[in-house]
Amino acid sequence: MTGLALEEREKASYNSYGTATTLMGGRIFRSGAHMFLPEIVVNWLWAHRDAFTSDATNPNWDTKYSTVNDHEVTAEASIRWLTSFVRGDTYIYPILGVGVRQLLTNDDDTVRQSVNGADPFVVESERDRTSLTVTGALTLARKNQVLSVAYDGEFSSDYDRHNVWLRYGWQF
């Protein structure tokens, strides 16, 4: 919605693309059935979005958005705990991890936007450069079936991010 009283409907179509590259290294340390995996990760993310103009029900509120071309490099240090055990005919594989992620590049995202007859307005967003990461997963395997539930989250003073997924596999 757009307009003075947010009474105008607005829609847009645009192209965006990017890439992500990850370099990671770690070493497994074993202690009985337990494994500990400290690791260092460096991520590079590039995101590009072409400039576009939205289409509002009142053409005076069509908004022009500038191109976005963002590069981001982060580093993360984390440790994971992994183990496995058997209960009856079910193999159980839990994983827990915790880490700290640090943004190494400029954390500003800038977009210029304008409506007809107005000077462009610069919209900037910043976020906390340091965040805590948490991961966990539980996999149950029996004969030709596997069930996994996993979680990863990221927490900073600016945002919380949560991902949960469930996966079932059947081999035949």
Side-chain angles (χ1 to χ4, degrees), residues 101-127:
R101 182 171 293 147
Q102 179 69 40
L103 181 63
L104 301 177
T105 53
N106 182 341
D107 63 340
D108 295 335
D109 291 328
T110 302
V111 175
R112 286 176 172 56
Q113 62 187 67
S114 64
V115 292
N116 293 332
D119 290 334
F121 181 78
V122 177
V123 178
E124 293 181 315
S125 79
E126 292 183 19
R127 68 173 200 248

Side-chain angles (χ1 to χ4, degrees), residues 89-148:
D89 62 348
T90 302
Y91 291 86
I92 303 168
Y93 305 96
I95 300 172
L96 293 173
V98 64
V100 175
R101 182 171 293 147
Q102 179 69 40
L103 181 63
L104 301 177
T105 53
N106 182 341
D107 63 340
D108 295 335
D109 291 328
T110 302
V111 175
R112 286 176 172 56
Q113 62 187 67
S114 64
V115 292
N116 293 332
D119 290 334
F121 181 78
V122 177
V123 178
E124 293 181 315
S125 79
E126 292 183 19
R127 68 173 200 248
D128 196 346
R129 297 173 66 89
T130 305
S131 60
L132 172 71
T133 61
V134 178
T135 59
L138 181 63
T139 299
L140 307 173
R142 181 187 308 166
K143 296 181 183 174
N144 61 347
Q145 300 176 67
V146 177
L147 177 66
S148 296

Side-chain angles (χ1 to χ4, degrees), residues 2 7 16 18 48 52 59 65 69 75 84 95 98 100 102 114 116 130 135-136 151 155 160 162-163 167:
T2 190
E7 74 282 4
S16 64
H48 176 85
F52 68 96
Y65 295 87
N69 196 37
S84 64
I95 300 172
V98 64
V100 175
Q102 179 69 40
S114 64
N116 293 332
T130 305
T135 59
Y151 168 83
F155 309 92
D160 293 349
H162 306 277
N163 292 314
R167 188 171 94 180

Side-chain angles (χ1 to χ4, degrees), residues 30-52:
R30 297 179 189 271
S31 177
H34 302 280
M35 292 180 284
F36 300 92
L37 174 60
E39 59 187 358
I40 300 292
V41 179
V42 177
N43 287 303
W44 170 65
L45 173 69
W46 169 61
H48 176 85
R49 189 198 68 215
D50 293 338
F52 68 96

